[in-house]
Amino acid sequence: MAGLSCAEGLARIGHEVVLLDKGRGPGGRMSTRRVATPLGEVAFDHGAQYFTVRDPGFRRVVDGWAAEGIAAPWSLPGPDAWVGLPGMSAVIKAMARGHDVRWSVHVDRIDRQSDGWWINAGQDSFGPFAAVVLAVPAEQAVPFLSLHDFAMAREAMLARSLPCWTGMFAFAEPLPGGRDMIRDTGLIAWAARNRAKPGREGPEAVAPEGWVVQAGPEWSAAHVEEPAPQIARSLLGALTSVLGHDVPAPVAATAHRWRYAMSAGLGHGALWNDRIGLGVCADWLLGPRVECAWLSGQQLARTILEAPLERALAG
């Protein structure tokens, strides 16, 4: 979200932008995972469950998504909550359209040479570029920043991310109790029935029922290195305990570890070194919300506009 938001801002003022992403496709922490079961495929929003809309600029963007039919409000979590349609990844896919995005590129080094920045990913190199923007978790930004701007690296070191274990469970029938959402109960920070969200009435409506169960940060940190099957059993047991009924055995169960799920935010918005053309945008610079990632990207694009990239290559 942050990187694409910054790319949109830069492209709007005439810059040519190339995005490199280690993922196989758009989504990141707004991914939608599809899991095959004996009773059909089930979709899970296994990262961010919804996003808030509070900033006027972000609201205008979200209104555009709504007009396209790729986002809708979801009142259950709160009055300012929205979701992507038919899954959370829909808005990321829409943002990625029209940009030059290279998927499955695992960047391992950035080098500033006489003709500009070069990006190295294994045997592949990309460049030269007038500037580089990092839109990654703080812990992943540190090794890149420490070689070029230690002040930025120090800021990234201060932003510690909290992990989150997410369980995905498919059931042959609706769970007892009639609940659609569980919040801050026991080890569960969040659990939701996927069909409770708007726009999930398509083919998934005849598929098994999907539930996402996310553990709290303290529990996730204490169990961060445990194997996924063991985590899935623990989260299923927690869901059963909260519902207070016998929960049938799922037809599919898996767990995903988000090692860098959330950061409290440093309040900086974005970081930019106009002398060398190096910037950072991410939610960890502002706050632990999808909306903050978008705002961070927009702020960095504005900052670059105010400090022309030509200065980055001078000298």
Side-chain angles (χ1 to χ4, degrees):
M1 173 64 77
L4 285 166
S5 173
C6 185
E8 286 185 351
L10 293 173
R12 193 163 52 240
I13 59 178
H15 290 297
E16 183 180 350
V17 183
V18 176
L19 296 104
L20 307 176
D21 195 296
K22 69 178 181 180
R24 291 175 293 178
R29 283 175 291 175
M30 291 181 70
S31 292
T32 301
R33 177 181 291 188
R34 297 191 174 274
V35 176
T37 82
L39 300 179
E41 189 177 73
V42 183
F44 298 96
D45 293 328
H46 69 302
Q49 296 298 294
Y50 60 90
F51 56 90
T52 58
V53 183
R54 301 170 188 172
D55 176 80
F58 189 52
R59 178 165 292 281
R60 288 191 291 271
V61 171
V62 174
D63 285 344
W65 293 341
E68 289 183 54
I70 58 172
W74 184 30
S75 61
L76 189 60
D80 58 356
W82 287 66
V83 296
L85 303 179
M88 286 294 288
S89 61
V91 296
I92 300 297
K93 292 178 181 178
M95 292 179 72
R97 289 198 304 264
H99 289 292
D100 182 0
V101 186
R102 319 286 176 87
W103 303 108
S104 301
V105 176
H106 199 296
V107 174
D108 49 44
R109 194 172 75 254
I110 59 174
D111 293 322
R112 187 169 182 262
Q113 301 180 12
S114 59
D115 58 347
W117 286 95
W118 285 85
I119 314 299
N120 298 287
Q123 300 300 312
D124 298 321
S125 294
F126 304 86
F129 299 106
V132 168
V133 168
L134 300 175
V136 296
E139 289 83 353
Q140 295 177 339
V142 169
F144 298 107
L145 295 173
S146 61
L147 297 177
H148 302 285
D149 188 317
F150 190 73
M152 284 191 191
R154 187 168 56 246
E155 294 295 334
M157 291 176 191
L158 296 175
R160 308 307 302 170
S161 300
L162 300 173
C164 176
W165 269 111
T166 297
M168 292 159 274
F169 306 101
F171 301 93
E173 58 190 35
L175 297 187
R179 299 180 68 172
D180 290 330
M181 183 181 75
I182 299 165
R183 237 175 178 165
D184 299 324
T185 306
L187 66 86
I188 296 177
W190 169 272
R193 187 171 69 97
N194 206 57
R195 285 187 204 164
K197 298 180 179 181
R200 271 64 174 176
E201 298 85 9
E204 184 194 339
V206 297
E209 171 154 298
W211 273 78
V212 169
V213 181
Q214 294 182 325
E218 291 185 2
W219 190 91
S220 295
H223 300 80
V224 70
E225 300 299 343
E226 291 186 9
Q230 183 173 327
I231 295 295
R233 288 191 294 271
S234 296
L235 294 179
L236 180 61
L239 179 63
T240 301
S241 176
V242 171
L243 291 177
H245 298 273
D246 290 333
V247 172
V251 296
T254 188
H256 178 85
R257 177 183 59 199
W258 297 100
R259 188 179 289 276
Y260 308 117
M262 287 191 304
S263 174
L266 298 179
H268 295 323
L271 302 175
W272 173 244
N273 182 331
D274 69 329
R275 183 180 61 82
I276 62 174
L278 179 63
V280 186
C281 60
D283 55 356
W284 57 265
L285 286 163
L286 199 55
R289 294 184 289 128
V290 169
E291 184 173 10
C292 291
W294 183 87
L295 289 168
S296 178
Q298 291 291 297
Q299 179 171 328
L300 182 54
R302 288 193 302 270
T303 301
I304 293 173
L305 174 62
E306 295 166 0
L309 292 179
E310 287 75 16
R311 291 179 58 190
L313 295 181

